[in-house]
Amino acid sequence: MAAARGPGSVLFSGFRALGLYSNHLPHVVRFHEKHRDFYVVTSVGNCFHTYNASKLGIVAVSNSLSEDISCLAADRMLVFVAHGRKVSAFARNKEVVHQYEGHSADVHLLLTFGEHMISADRDGVLVVWDVAAEEEYLRLQFDPTTFNLSAMMHPSTYLNKVLLGSSQGALQLWNIKSNKLLYTFPGWSAGVTVLHQSPAVDVVGVGLTSGQIFIHNIKLDETLMSFMQEWGPITSLAFRTDGPPIMAASSPQGHIAFWDLEKQQLLNQLRHAHGTAVAAVTFLHRQPLLVTNGADNSIKVWIFDQEGGGARLLRSRQGHSAPPTTIRHHGNNGQNILSAGQDGTLQSFSCLHERFNKNLGHGSINKKKAKRKGLSYEELRLPAITTFASESARQSDWDGIVACHRGHLATSTWSYQRCTMGTHRLEPERFHRDRSLAVHAIAVDITSCGNFAVVGLSSGHVDIYNLQSGLHRGQYGADTAHQGAVQGVAVDGLNQVTVSVGSDRLLKTWRFKSRKLVNVLELEASPARILLHRDSGMLAVALDDFTLNVVDLETRRIVRKFSGHRGQINDMTFSPDGRWLVTAAMDCTIRTWDLPSGCLIDCFLVETAAVSVSFSPTADFLATTHVNSLGIYLWSNSSLCSLVSLRPLPADYEPATVMLPGTAPSQDKDGQEEEVGGAGDEHMQEYESPEQLERHLVTLSLLPDSRWKNLLNLDLIKRRNKPKEPPKAPQATPFFLPTVAGLNPTFSLPETSEQDTQSKVVNFGVLAQKTLFYTALESALDTDTYGEAVGLLKNLGPSAIDAELRSLSPDMGGSPAVLLAFIRMVDSMLTGGRDYDLAQAYLALFLKLHLRLLSRDTAAMDALLRLSSHVEAGWEELQTSFNQSLCLLAYTKSALL
């Protein structure tokens, strides 16, 4: 039997990605004449972002492409993007307006050239395109073994000329219009990486793979000056145009050097400007501002206002330079996500706007010592954060974040308000004498009040610290809490119970204040991590055998067991109401388990395994991070805005692969945006509720109370609403009032006819005919089915029901047989348990109108006695259920939990 394959996730749909700003590709700077501002364009995967240089605020995000971007270029109107073998032109920084196809290899160089655009691929093919017509203007073929294209530029004032650089070191000057090679520069013994126009005409800057920089006059083929950098190949060059003759040169190590062209010497250097290679540097025209971007996922703007020509950081947008490992929502509004990455930094990303992002920095072992002795940043920085816990209750008073570092014994504290590392180092004194022990912190949790932190160590110790003073307040257990490494710790919401699990397969419950052992629960396998939902008291335990156990802290028993993952469980998170448990594992699946039913209700597959997940406190988004990915991906909860089928998934369910959300809406092949949340609509069947669930249950009608509740008081309502005097109809006044001819003008009144003075009271004798309800009751005497009669009554209003029941009397044209049929109809309604409220209301009105007449009929009295026994039996059963529910509710309110 084939396994069931699903359409993807029915609960979560991709929304957007956070924390992605730049990659290894050089940025492009454009100037908008109308806005009088510069715009910076950076590549992020298969789309690009546009930022204004004045505030580095994001202006636009382009539509996604089918492949990752390999090169960027821009002119006054369009942004050109190379992806694979194609080149696309974007208008308004968003949509594709032109596409250029013709390369047989991947395009890696682009250059805008007036009304033309030049592209070069890896096979040495250079194509000149007519931008508007999307046609080839010229095609050149170079042999990669002798002249491998590595750089292109258009020299200023050189009409129709293009200067090409090669990885062999030679340069060639071409006339594009006449398709002629004008001159070949022998170059130098190293490959050309950068060609950049200087402010002087005929002079260009040439950067080589050897770290050399040559300022060369291409008109005279003469080298004016040269510089040497020892940081590796030159990745980018830029010249200041606001006065000082300064050239900036970047390197793969993240350093930037500033050279004085007049004195021909090094003026200044900016070390560790980026954590990785600097992709590009650009001086804004006639401004002392330098824009840089790098592969460390950052964009920075530097201003030159320091003494000696130095630069300082003015503004920046940066994310993690290495994949994040742990994410958690901070606060109760669900707007901020704390993220710890492999680069050792702790950052906060806002779901609302990027201007609310915070960078808490990189932890250091001793900040005061580093400042006093002038030690380098690399020598004293802490390892990457493996896990952390945060609490916003007292974050304005003292540190509210505690983090564990890889292979480090002491845990660090962080302040979210001050955006920096705290002053406390939570480390027990028992290991001060013997530093050779390889003991490190593994698990941490903060109490809901924000006063205490509980830390679990690899030695089996579980310690408690005061966050305000940073002092050690005790430990759990006489010697150690566990015989092996502690894998997880958690504290309940009332600071009554502390839970710890270790590699000894034991789950121990402790009194938080007295630190006494309360209960020990043995697990089937070694635990990997735990997660506590404080509101419900449910503890999720992930085991090494890829299964999940859910423990109720009140009863201290395992209440749910889940299995289905085929790899190590990396992380898990509860929904805010505690109903769902979302887990992520190395099998690249993200599964959602429903705790009340104990079933798997959602599962989808991603391209790379998720390493951390976090559910928003407002239940609107699920945040995930993935292997080898720098971003944080948000998935919207579809159940908040649409009807979602939560049927249990079969055991052989095979999830479909879902693409990670991008910074822009993804598109299909036709260019239309994909529908969000519609994957499971065709597989979802609308539930139709039966008329009655069970025969022994009482079913009420869904009619409004006004249709049956006031049937007994209908006479009183009519008497109360009776007008005090009959209404007087106003005399009809025509538009032109007729007058009688004479000296004194008088209005002529209309003549009253005999028909107008006739009484409008209808004689009841005229209506002596059977109604539909009366006919249905007569036919029910033979068939003994009263469904049609009940349906007719349910469609009538209170006054019509009163008139129908009055017409059953022999004085109004009825008969004793029809009265008996009505009694049997009510009896069938009570016996079947359907429309219980209507049956009681109809019976009460019927007895009020005809009880004296029925007391004279023996057959009717026998039917009423049987009906009375049915009413009493049904009420006794209902009263018993009511009393049991009220008793249980009273006990729940008064019991001490």
Side-chain angles (χ1 to χ4, degrees):
M1 182 177 179
R5 177 170 292 276
S9 176
V10 297
L11 273 182
F12 303 106
S13 57
F15 180 64
R16 60 169 299 197
L18 301 176
L20 295 177
Y21 299 101
S22 174
N23 58 9
H24 63 284
L25 298 180
H27 66 264
V28 177
V29 176
R30 307 173 63 195
F31 181 74
H32 198 287
E33 295 182 356
K34 182 178 180 181
H35 297 166
R36 306 300 298 176
D37 196 2
F38 289 93
Y39 290 93
V40 182
V41 181
T42 61
S43 172
V44 179
N46 58 354
C47 64
F48 63 86
H49 295 182
T50 304
Y51 301 88
N52 53 10
S54 57
K55 296 182 180 180
L56 274 188
I58 189 166
V59 176
V61 177
S62 71
N63 295 332
S64 300
L65 297 170
S66 58
E67 297 179 84
D68 288 345
I69 297 175
S70 58
C71 189
L72 285 173
D75 60 8
R76 186 175 60 89
M77 298 296 296
L78 302 175
V79 176
F80 298 93
V81 172
H83 51 102
R85 301 177 181 180
K86 302 179 182 178
V87 179
S88 300
F90 285 79
R92 295 176 293 275
N93 297 315
K94 188 174 181 63
E95 57 188 13
V96 177
V97 293
H98 299 292
Q99 275 199 345
Y100 310 93
E101 301 181 10
H103 287 279
S104 58
D106 292 342
V107 179
H108 70 109
L109 293 177
L110 290 178
L111 177 66
T112 57
F113 191 70
E115 297 180 355
H116 298 80
M117 182 267 299
I118 304 175
S119 61
D121 59 25
R122 300 288 182 182
D123 291 343
V125 177
L126 184 144
V127 181
V128 181
W129 303 88
D130 188 324
V131 173
E134 301 182 9
E135 297 177 352
E136 289 188 13
Y137 180 81
L138 178 65
R139 177 181 287 262
L140 298 176
Q141 177 68 53
F142 295 91
D143 186 4
T145 59
T146 58
F147 194 87
N148 186 21
L149 284 173
S150 59
M152 294 190 302
M153 67 159 291
H154 166 57
S156 297
T157 70
Y158 280 57
L159 187 63
N160 302 325
K161 309 297 189 302
V162 175
L163 182 63
L164 306 179
S166 66
S167 58
Q168 288 81 10
L171 303 177
Q172 292 184 2
L173 183 64
W174 283 78
N175 188 316
I176 298 300
K177 187 174 182 179
S178 61
N179 190 14
K180 292 183 179 179
L181 175 62
L182 302 181
Y183 190 78
T184 300
F185 301 89
W188 302 269
S189 59
V192 178
T193 58
V194 182
L195 292 174
H196 196 276
Q197 176 68 49
S198 71
V201 181
D202 301 329
V203 179
V204 298
V206 182
L208 305 180
T209 57
S210 61
Q212 292 177 298
I213 305 171
F214 291 92
I215 308 301
H216 195 76
N217 189 318
I218 58 176
K219 183 177 183 179
L220 304 176
D221 191 9
E222 179 183 354
T223 300
L224 303 180
M225 61 189 74
S226 64
F227 307 98
M228 180 63 186
Q229 290 184 183
E230 298 179 355
W231 299 329
I234 305 299
T235 59
S236 180
L237 292 176
F239 295 87
R240 285 188 67 172
T241 57
D242 61 324
I246 296 176
M247 178 186 66
S250 59
S251 67
Q253 299 183 13
H255 311 318
I256 302 176
F258 301 100
W259 301 90
D260 191 332
L261 299 182
E262 286 186 352
K263 300 180 180 179
Q264 299 186 16
Q265 64 182 9
L266 181 65
L267 176 66
N268 207 335
Q269 56 182 347
L270 198 61
R271 287 184 171 269
H272 303 290
H274 288 270
T276 56
V278 180
V281 293
T282 304
F283 279 105
L284 298 186
H285 186 62
R286 294 185 179 180
Q287 294 186 21
L289 299 177
L290 178 69
V291 180
T292 64
N293 79 302
D296 59 348
N297 192 22
S298 65
I299 311 169
K300 297 182 180 181
V301 177
W302 309 82
I303 184 171
F304 291 82
D305 58 356
Q306 303 291 310
E307 295 183 2
R312 64 177 177 88
L313 183 63
L314 180 63
R315 61 183 68 94
S316 65
R317 288 282 184 267
Q318 56 185 350
H320 285 291
S321 59
T325 56
T326 305
I327 57 172
R328 293 291 181 266
H329 278 85
H330 182 72
N332 298 323
N333 55 11
Q335 297 177 359
N336 300 307
I337 301 176
L338 282 174
S339 173
Q342 297 179 9
D343 54 358
T345 60
L346 183 63
Q347 301 189 33
S348 173
F349 296 96
S350 174
C351 300
L352 299 181
H353 199 275
E354 293 178 347
R355 66 173 179 268
F356 300 119
N357 292 355
K358 296 181 179 181
N359 188 352
L360 280 68
H362 202 301
S364 62
I365 297 178
N366 194 325
K367 297 177 66 176
K368 295 182 179 179
K369 182 179 178 181
K371 292 182 179 179
R372 184 172 62 252
K373 295 188 176 182
L375 297 178
S376 66
Y377 173 73
E378 298 287 340
E379 294 175 356
L380 292 178
R381 70 175 185 177
L382 288 171
I385 296 175
T386 56
T387 184
F388 66 89
S390 66
E391 184 59 50
S392 60
R394 303 299 296 271
Q395 65 178 4
S396 59
D397 300 325
W398 50 76
D399 300 340
I401 304 173
V402 180
C404 299
H405 299 265
R406 182 182 296 115
H408 203 65
L409 174 61
T411 55
S412 58
T413 61
W414 300 75
S415 174
Y416 186 82
Q417 294 282 358
R418 295 183 288 111
C419 298
T420 183
M421 182 180 174
T423 57
H424 301 311
R425 295 176 68 249
L426 309 182
E427 181 179 3
E429 297 181 357
R430 70 177 71 95
F431 299 106
H432 285 181
R433 297 181 179 178
D434 191 356
R435 292 286 184 175
S436 61
L437 297 176
V439 179
H440 58 276
I442 296 180
V444 66
D445 193 19
I446 299 179
T447 58
S448 59
C449 61
N451 293 322
F452 300 97
V454 180
V455 181
L457 305 179
S458 60
S459 60
H461 295 87
V462 177
D463 300 298
I464 183 170
Y465 299 88
N466 184 280
L467 286 179
Q468 182 179 9
S469 61
L471 298 178
H472 185 264
R473 292 303 186 188
Q475 68 178 31
Y476 291 93
D479 185 15
T480 59
H482 293 271
Q483 296 301 320
V486 178
Q487 300 296 334
V489 292
V491 183
D492 69 337
L494 300 177
N495 290 1
Q496 298 293 322
V497 176
T498 301
V499 182
S500 63
V501 294
S503 56
D504 53 1
R505 298 187 179 184
L506 296 180
L507 188 149
K508 295 184 178 182
T509 306
W510 313 80
R511 289 294 179 188
F512 177 79
K513 186 174 182 180
S514 62
R515 296 186 288 278
K516 293 182 179 179
L517 184 62
V518 177
N519 184 61
V520 177
L521 180 64
E522 187 175 357
L523 303 173
E524 297 178 356
S526 179
R529 62 184 66 247
I530 64 173
L531 178 66
L532 174 64
H533 187 262
R534 287 174 173 170
D535 293 340
S536 63
M538 294 295 170
L539 180 73
V541 183
L543 304 180
D544 285 342
D545 59 355
F546 313 149
T547 61
L548 290 159
N549 289 348
V550 179
V551 181
D552 187 359
L553 289 187
E554 182 66 27
T555 60
R556 302 183 182 93
R557 296 175 56 188
I558 297 177
V559 295
R560 290 289 185 271
K561 291 184 178 181
F562 300 119
S563 61
H565 280 295
R566 301 174 184 175
Q568 176 188 348
I569 299 175
N570 294 329
D571 200 5
M572 48 191 174
T573 180
F574 280 102
S575 61
D577 57 0
R579 184 181 180 89
W580 298 339
L581 176 63
V582 182
T583 58
M586 289 303 295
D587 58 359
C588 298
T589 60
I590 299 178
R591 299 173 183 259
T592 304
W593 312 87
D594 186 67
L595 295 186
S597 63
C599 299
L600 175 67
I601 58 174
D602 186 63
C603 178
F604 63 97
L605 193 68
V606 289
E607 293 181 343
T608 56
V611 296
S612 185
V613 292
S614 179
F615 219 124
S616 169
T618 55
D620 50 357
F621 292 111
L622 175 72
T624 62
T625 59
H626 300 262
V627 175
N628 297 329
S629 180
L630 300 180
I632 299 175
Y633 300 92
L634 296 182
W635 308 79
S636 59
N637 186 2
S638 303
S639 64
L640 296 182
C641 54
S642 62
L643 181 63
V644 176
S645 174
L646 298 180
R647 294 178 298 173
L649 300 180
D652 58 347
Y653 181 80
E654 292 187 5
T657 303
V658 178
M659 299 294 295
L660 293 179
T663 52
S666 58
Q667 293 187 349
D668 56 13
K669 295 181 180 179
D670 298 332
Q672 302 293 331
E673 294 186 3
E674 295 180 355
E675 296 183 359
V676 178
D681 292 344
E682 58 184 10
H683 297 268
M684 181 178 61
Q685 299 178 358
E686 185 176 356
Y687 175 76
E688 296 181 1
S689 177
E691 296 182 358
Q692 189 175 14
L693 299 179
E694 296 290 343
R695 293 285 298 177
H696 66 278
L697 298 178
V698 171
T699 304
L700 301 179
S701 66
L702 299 179
L703 296 181
D705 295 348
S706 60
R707 299 281 291 274
W708 56 269
K709 198 171 185 179
N710 297 320
L711 287 177
L712 287 178
N713 303 322
L714 196 59
D715 294 339
L716 179 61
I717 295 174
K718 289 181 178 180
R719 195 181 313 117
R720 185 181 300 168
N721 296 337
K722 184 178 181 181
K724 297 181 179 179
E725 59 182 9
K728 296 180 180 179
Q731 295 182 356
T733 304
F735 185 76
F736 297 102
L737 299 178
T739 58
V740 179
L743 297 177
N744 296 324
T746 58
F747 297 104
S748 63
L749 301 177
E751 299 180 356
T752 58
S753 61
E754 182 181 358
Q755 183 179 1
D756 296 336
T757 59
Q758 187 177 1
S759 175
K760 296 182 179 180
V761 177
V762 180
N763 188 2
F764 253 110
V766 182
L767 300 177
Q769 57 181 355
K770 298 179 180 180
T771 62
L772 294 177
F773 174 70
Y774 190 95
T775 306
L777 282 181
E778 282 185 337
S779 62
L781 288 174
D782 300 332
T783 60
D784 198 25
T785 55
Y786 300 93
E788 182 183 358
V790 174
L792 292 173
L793 273 186
K794 291 171 69 174
N795 294 328
L796 299 179
S799 299
I801 294 174
D802 182 78
E804 288 286 356
L805 295 188
R806 290 180 185 272
S807 66
L808 300 181
S809 174
D811 298 339
M812 301 295 292
S815 64
V818 178
L819 293 174
L820 182 62
F822 186 86
I823 296 174
R824 293 178 179 175
M825 182 194 74
V826 176
D827 193 7
S828 66
M829 294 173 65
L830 295 176
T831 305
R834 295 175 56 185
D835 300 327
Y836 189 81
D837 48 353
L838 295 183
Q840 298 288 344
Y842 295 160
L843 179 60
L845 180 60
F846 179 76
L847 294 178
K848 177 182 177 181
L849 298 176
H850 306 295
L851 182 59
R852 182 172 299 179
L853 180 62
L854 294 173
S855 62
R856 305 171 189 169
D857 191 347
T858 306
M861 289 302 298
D862 294 340
L864 285 176
L865 290 176
R866 291 193 299 270
L867 180 59
S868 176
S869 62
H870 293 162
V871 172
E872 292 178 357
W875 175 245
E876 288 180 359
E877 185 177 354
L878 284 178
Q879 191 174 20
T880 302
S881 300
F882 290 155
N883 291 337
Q884 292 178 353
S885 300
L886 291 175
C887 179
L888 181 60
L889 182 60
Y891 171 76
T892 305
K893 289 182 177 180
S894 60
L896 295 177
L897 298 179

